[in-house]
Amino acid sequence: MAKLVSKTYGDALFELAVESGQVDEMLEEARGIRQILRDDNELSKLMNHPKIVKEEKIEILEQIFKGRVRDEVTGLMRMLVSKGHYGEMESVFTYFIDQVKEYKNIGTAYVTAPMPLTDSQKGQVREKLLELQRGLAREKDVIMDGRDIGTCILPDADVKIYLTASVETRARRRFEELKEKGILCDFDEIARDIKERDERDMNRATAPLRKADDAHLVDSSHMTIEEVVSAICGYCK
């Protein structure tokens, strides 16, 4: 299903770019959007949150990207969200980028004109997510993941796990995941993106990535899924 969504929407965007003569411009926009989708974990959580209706998700995306990308690109994103395909959005833009690379006969495409979220936009996403996450935890027992859950979102959580792995291990896992989806990808590019994101998150002014003092460290670099589950469950008894 994910491959079909990526191809269907990716091909549609590519055809539009060629027909309108805006291949280069839309390529840069697609690169920038993909980078945001990869880097901003809070935006991803917000878009995938079951308690936020599609209309509100679309409004948030439009506020973030209005004036930064073409209306046609925003329209594609709006359509993906309305049909419940936000989870495939990165794959759609990756497929489009690969199509353009083949069309223009170029090698690996790197981000040359990133469009990072402004502080105001990040604050908007974070405030909404913070409200939802803490509200959910008040209502019932939850298992919540994120880069600042134990230090900022739920500092009084009963059990905190700092789950990590080496950059190489995470890049390999991501590389294999994308390959299974039929998406062309470059291992070195993925590893570089992961390393850069870690550095940004660790040094950001608001809620930087760090291990909470009372969190249990689980390094999954050389562990199977079953071993990770067992280790975490051991701390919950």
Side-chain angles (χ1 to χ4, degrees):
M1 180 62 178
K3 289 183 181 180
L4 179 60
V5 171
S6 300
K7 185 178 188 311
T8 300
Y9 289 93
D11 280 339
L13 186 60
F14 175 70
E15 291 176 7
L16 177 61
V18 173
E19 291 175 1
S20 63
Q22 302 181 81
V23 174
D24 291 335
E25 294 85 352
M26 292 176 74
L27 173 61
E28 289 304 306
E29 292 178 359
R31 290 174 178 172
I33 293 170
R34 184 177 66 169
Q35 198 68 25
I36 288 177
L37 297 175
R38 287 179 174 178
D39 290 350
D40 203 297
N41 191 45
E42 292 181 344
L43 177 61
S44 178
K45 287 183 179 180
L46 193 63
M47 290 294 109
N48 286 301
H49 202 290
K51 288 194 173 183
I52 301 180
V53 297
K54 293 178 181 178
E55 291 76 15
E56 190 171 1
K57 294 177 180 179
I58 290 172
E59 182 181 353
I60 291 172
L61 281 179
E62 290 180 338
Q63 289 176 352
I64 290 174
F65 293 104
K66 184 178 180 180
R68 309 176 82 189
V69 300
R70 282 160 179 72
D71 291 342
E72 296 86 349
V73 178
T74 305
L76 174 70
M77 298 171 72
R78 186 188 304 114
M79 186 180 300
L80 285 168
V81 173
S82 67
K83 293 184 178 295
H85 295 314
Y86 176 82
E88 282 79 47
M89 191 175 292
E90 180 187 334
S91 297
V92 169
F93 284 110
T94 295
Y95 182 91
F96 168 76
I97 291 169
D98 290 338
Q99 289 293 94
V100 174
K101 286 162 59 179
E102 183 177 348
Y103 174 74
K104 296 177 67 68
N105 192 29
I106 58 178
T108 301
Y110 297 106
V111 176
T112 56
M115 51 173 78
L117 300 186
T118 64
D119 290 340
S120 175
Q121 290 167 337
K122 289 180 180 179
Q124 177 190 12
V125 171
R126 182 171 183 75
E127 182 179 350
K128 183 65 177 179
L129 188 58
L130 184 64
E131 172 189 336
L132 287 166
Q133 289 173 313
R134 286 181 173 168
L136 183 62
R138 283 193 297 267
E139 295 174 3
K140 61 181 72 175
D141 292 336
V142 296
I143 297 175
M144 195 173 293
D145 75 294
R147 294 198 155 196
D148 62 348
I149 300 298
T151 56
C152 182
I153 307 297
L154 301 175
D156 298 321
D158 295 330
V159 178
K160 300 178 185 177
I161 306 294
Y162 188 81
L163 180 62
T164 188
S166 67
V167 170
E168 182 178 355
T169 297
R170 284 181 285 155
R172 173 173 49 78
R173 291 170 178 168
R174 180 60 172 162
F175 178 78
E176 292 174 353
E177 177 188 3
L178 292 174
K179 280 183 60 179
E180 288 180 2
K181 293 181 178 179
I183 299 174
L184 296 175
C185 51
D186 181 84
F187 177 85
D188 292 334
E189 182 180 2
I190 293 173
R192 182 177 60 254
D193 287 344
I194 290 174
K195 183 178 180 181
E196 290 177 353
R197 181 190 173 196
D198 284 349
E199 291 175 350
R200 283 195 298 272
D201 285 355
M202 289 177 179
N203 294 287
R204 63 191 181 193
T206 303
L209 168 62
R210 68 176 180 84
K211 175 181 172 294
D213 294 336
D214 56 346
H216 302 285
L217 174 65
V218 176
D219 188 334
S220 69
S221 297
H222 304 290
M223 300 172 69
T224 64
I225 293 176
E226 293 75 17
E227 289 171 337
V228 172
V229 172
S230 178
I232 292 175
C233 288
Y235 292 119
C236 298
K237 295 179 180 179

